Amino acid sequence: MLNVPFLQVKTQNLTYRTAIEPFRDFKIQLEGRWSRSDNYQELYRQDSLHTGFQNFSPVRSGNYSMSFLSFLTAFDSNSPDDNSVIFNRFRGYRTIMLERLNTKNRAEGLEGKYDLNSQDVLIPAFFAAYSGVAPDKVGFSPFVNIPLPNWRVDYNGLANVGWFKRKFSNISIQHAYSSTYSVGNFVSSLGYKDVSLLTLDNMMYNTATLSKGQIVRQDNITYRDQNGDQYLVPIYAMSVITFQEKFSPLIGINATTKSKISLQVSYNQDRNIGLNLANSYVNELSNKDLVLGVGFTRANVLIPFKVGGKKVRLKNDLKFDAKLTIRDTRTIQRKLDESPVVTNGFTQFQFRPQASYKVSERLLVTAYYDRMFNNPLVSNQYYRSTDQAGIQVRFSLSE
């Protein structure tokens, strides 16, 4: 007699890691992740005639994510106009996936069809286009079962080679890649009432369907439009399919010379691509940044001005650092039947030099200057520039 639904929750997580050192000072770290969370709920109570207990309003929902490799398309053009290579590939793959699905259903004797913007067409077309998989080989299910490894590579042996050994005391080269494929907030379509399809032990994604008025096949649903055409409805309605990819860094170099000058060069890029299945559009957020840095530590530095008519040298260490960052950020909304729109974005320039002098073990004085400006890519935002400068004095009371 209760109105509180019966609820089951199932969570699965898989993580694997390994470290490889194929030769001295060259280290590779590999890591893979897979997770899935499923919820099932129903009202289990007597029917209106009190003839026995039945299942009412069964609903299955959940989330899914895994580590993946999508770098095959990481450097393809994402032009803000109609010249995006990947998105145009996605558009074209819809026709291939539509024909594959219709051929499969005819072979299985299943009535009904899909259109170019059906969920079962969009998902594999999107997956193939943005992951680099061939459209004739990609699977129909959005649930990929094998988590692929991401990695980090570090090499510290260049300072032991020839000319570099004579000029540098340390050189470190880094490269890191991570990518995550996610299916967010899927929920079973309301037309499916067969509890055996929705229980937590059924992990398959099925594309079979039920007619609005009659059952065509037990595990399938269809609906008819105004022309009487019968369309297929998937068991699970998806909200967003995403790829989150990051090179952090794509290439990074940190070096220290024999004269104690530190150098830094780093190039990073990431993208977050989401297929919105409710409105059939792709949202692309991309970031690219270049970081250049230089610094040194010197003792007995000559002050460039006179104090009391005399030239003075600083007794303790003077530390200087300067960092330049150039960043490009943009968000593009791409609709299948309309021109793309840049909804947000800017080019940012930041330059921050600073000098620190340790007067004593307890007293540190730092002078800094920070110059930053943003040049927007959209008309509803303004060019913005900021300048900050100051002196910090820190005195430590601890022993």
Side-chain angles (χ1 to χ4, degrees):
M1 304 302 293
L2 295 177
N3 291 321
V4 178
F6 165 73
L7 176 65
Q8 286 179 313
V9 178
K10 183 176 182 179
T11 302
Q12 302 171 84
N13 293 286
L14 170 67
T15 302
Y16 64 86
R17 299 184 184 92
T18 187
I20 306 170
E21 190 169 356
F23 53 88
R24 185 179 177 183
D25 296 323
F26 187 79
K27 297 180 180 180
I28 302 174
Q29 299 178 52
L30 302 177
E31 180 179 2
R33 305 169 307 279
W34 180 92
S35 67
R36 176 162 179 162
S37 175
D38 288 273
N39 303 302
Y40 173 77
Q41 72 173 41
E42 65 176 19
L43 293 170
Y44 187 69
R45 60 189 181 192
Q46 288 202 20
D47 59 20
S48 59
L49 299 178
H50 297 279
T51 57
F53 286 91
Q54 294 184 11
N55 309 86
F56 293 90
S57 305
V59 177
R60 170 83 170 269
S61 61
N63 295 278
Y64 174 89
S65 69
M66 60 172 278
S67 57
F68 195 68
L69 299 179
S70 52
F71 63 87
L72 292 176
T73 63
F75 303 101
D76 288 349
S77 171
N78 66 335
S79 174
D81 53 28
D82 285 325
N83 295 323
S84 172
V85 173
I86 314 177
F87 187 73
N88 288 335
R89 191 183 298 152
F90 167 47
R91 276 175 169 164
Y93 283 178
R94 291 182 301 160
T95 303
I96 299 174
M97 300 311 305
L98 180 62
E99 182 57 34
R100 281 186 62 194
L101 283 165
N102 287 333
T103 300
K104 173 179 174 288
N105 290 337
R106 285 194 297 267
E108 295 178 355
L110 180 63
E111 297 182 24
K113 63 180 183 178
Y114 302 92
D115 59 33
L116 283 176
N117 292 337
S118 295
Q119 174 182 295
D120 286 330
V121 173
L122 291 177
I123 291 177
F126 174 77
F127 186 93
Y130 283 87
S131 67
V133 178
D136 57 340
K137 295 181 180 179
V138 68
F140 296 119
S141 172
F143 303 126
V144 186
N145 292 322
I146 302 177
L148 301 178
N150 298 158
W151 62 78
R152 179 178 178 85
V153 179
D154 293 274
Y155 179 56
N156 300 312
L158 194 59
N160 299 322
V161 179
W163 179 86
F164 296 100
K165 186 176 182 179
R166 296 191 300 271
K167 299 293 183 180
F168 294 90
S169 59
N170 175 65
I171 301 177
S172 176
I173 301 175
Q174 303 92 30
H175 165 72
Y177 174 81
S178 64
S179 177
T180 302
Y181 166 75
S182 304
V183 178
N185 300 321
F186 62 87
V187 61
S188 57
S189 299
L190 296 178
Y192 287 96
K193 305 298 183 183
D194 186 347
V195 174
S196 65
L197 289 175
L198 306 178
T199 55
L200 296 184
D201 59 347
N202 184 359
M203 304 300 291
M204 301 299 292
Y205 176 79
N206 221 315
T207 55
T209 62
L210 289 169
S211 251
K212 254 194 172 174
Q214 67 183 70
I215 296 179
V216 176
R217 248 175 58 176
Q218 188 177 16
D219 57 350
N220 282 290
I221 324 184
T222 62
Y223 74 89
R224 298 180 184 275
D225 63 9
Q226 295 177 347
N227 299 322
D229 292 329
Q230 188 168 264
Y231 287 88
L232 303 177
V233 178
I235 291 180
Y236 297 113
M238 308 290 176
S239 57
V240 180
I241 307 292
T242 61
F243 284 104
Q244 293 177 302
E245 181 182 66
K246 180 180 293 186
F247 291 92
S248 181
L250 177 63
I251 182 68
I253 301 174
N254 291 287
T256 304
T257 67
K258 295 287 187 178
S259 56
K260 296 185 179 181
I261 297 176
S262 61
L263 304 171
Q264 177 190 5
V265 179
S266 177
Y267 178 76
N268 309 272
Q269 74 174 46
D270 63 81
R271 58 177 179 166
N272 188 325
I273 304 167
L275 170 62
N276 186 306
L277 291 157
N279 299 308
S280 300
Y281 70 84
V282 173
N283 198 66
E284 298 180 5
L285 169 61
S286 63
N287 298 284
K288 298 178 181 179
D289 64 75
L290 174 66
V291 180
L292 304 174
V294 63
F296 62 83
T297 301
R298 289 286 184 273
N300 299 318
V301 175
L302 181 65
I303 297 179
F305 52 86
K306 293 183 178 181
V307 178
K310 298 180 180 180
K311 292 184 177 181
V312 178
R313 289 185 179 272
L314 299 176
K315 296 180 180 180
N316 298 325
D317 288 346
L318 175 68
K319 184 177 181 180
F320 175 81
D321 290 292
K323 183 176 291 186
L324 171 66
T325 303
I326 303 172
R327 178 176 291 113
D328 181 273
T329 298
R330 60 184 62 190
T331 301
I332 306 174
Q333 188 179 95
R334 302 185 188 276
K335 296 185 178 180
L336 291 166
D337 302 317
E338 299 179 22
S339 297
V341 178
V342 179
T343 58
N344 195 11
F346 56 84
T347 301
Q348 184 185 86
F349 172 95
Q350 183 177 26
F351 180 59
R352 183 183 174 93
Q354 69 174 32
S356 300
Y357 180 64
K358 194 171 184 179
V359 180
S360 67
E361 289 297 325
R362 296 188 177 186
L363 182 61
L364 178 68
V365 179
T366 301
Y368 68 91
Y369 173 71
D370 190 351
R371 164 73 168 170
M372 192 253 313
F373 65 81
N374 283 354
N375 189 14
L377 301 177
V378 291
S379 59
N380 60 353
Q381 295 181 1
Y382 301 97
Y383 177 90
R384 185 177 62 192
S385 175
T386 61
D387 291 89
Q388 299 181 59
I391 296 176
Q392 294 178 339
V393 179
R394 293 185 179 181
F395 185 78
S396 175
L397 299 176
S398 62
E399 292 293 339

